[in-house]
Amino acid sequence: ITKNGGIAICAPIAPYQSVRKYNRESISKVGGYVEVHVSTPLETCEERDVKGLYAKARQGIIKGFTGIDDPYEAPVNPELSIDTTHISQEEAVQQVLTYLENEGFLA
């Protein structure tokens, strides 16, 4: 999509710097790349967890869960970092859209 001038917005769970670096290098060869770090404290994630996955991970029912028994490597230098602790989903989306507009990705 990027290679052909389009924009792809992806929301992968990418807890490792090496994976994010690979994505950046691969995509940047053919177009723009913007890393958005949704910076939400673990406690907030657990409070918002309607499926109870964090509780299951803490009980050992789910193994390899990011932030519980699997490490999370915070991005070193994302283009945009959004702490969602005290803002709505709509406000977070607006921050992304504003960034993309300001950087010329959206007209």
Side-chain angles (χ1 to χ4, degrees), residues 49-90:
D49 180 21
V50 296
K51 295 181 181 180
L53 299 176
Y54 284 91
K56 289 179 182 176
R58 288 211 181 271
Q59 295 167 5
I61 297 169
I62 299 175
K63 301 288 185 194
F65 200 87
T66 301
I68 304 299
D69 67 338
D70 197 49
Y72 175 74
E73 300 169 356
V76 177
N77 204 13
E79 283 75 15
L80 180 61
S81 185
I82 302 171
D83 182 342
T84 66
T85 305
H86 302 292
I87 65 171
S88 68
Q89 290 175 347
E90 292 79 11

